[in-house]
Amino acid sequence: MAKKGNRIQVILECTEHKASGLPGTSRYITTKNKKNTPDRIELKKFNAIMKKMTVHKQIK
């Protein structure tokens, strides 16, 4: 029987875009190891609508 992995899929959403009130959303899907990083992650990713690097936080 195969062992289940510790990697889970998470959705990252832009915090600056959400606060600006512009239409649309900037979201990325990535994976993380829930054993090594049990808390929510924050990464700097490119927001195509705002055309700059912004902080994206894990949602849900």
Side-chain angles (χ1 to χ4, degrees):
M1 192 163 172
K3 184 180 175 185
K4 278 207 162 192
N6 289 321
R7 296 202 75 77
I8 57 169
Q9 200 172 39
V10 296
I11 300 170
L12 304 174
E13 187 175 50
C14 180
T15 55
E16 292 179 34
H17 185 90
K18 199 173 184 181
S20 71
L22 291 171
T25 56
S26 175
R27 289 186 176 166
Y28 284 91
I29 297 174
T30 187
T31 60
K32 74 170 188 174
N33 188 323
K34 65 182 174 183
K35 189 177 254 185
N36 294 339
T37 54
D39 48 342
R40 294 176 186 242
I41 58 173
E42 289 183 11
L43 296 174
K44 283 192 98 174
K45 304 290 274 179
F46 183 75
N47 185 334
I49 299 167
M50 297 178 82
K51 295 180 176 49
K52 63 179 183 175
M53 296 288 286
T54 59
V55 176
H56 285 65
K57 289 185 181 179
Q58 179 182 341
I59 58 173
K60 282 237 173 164

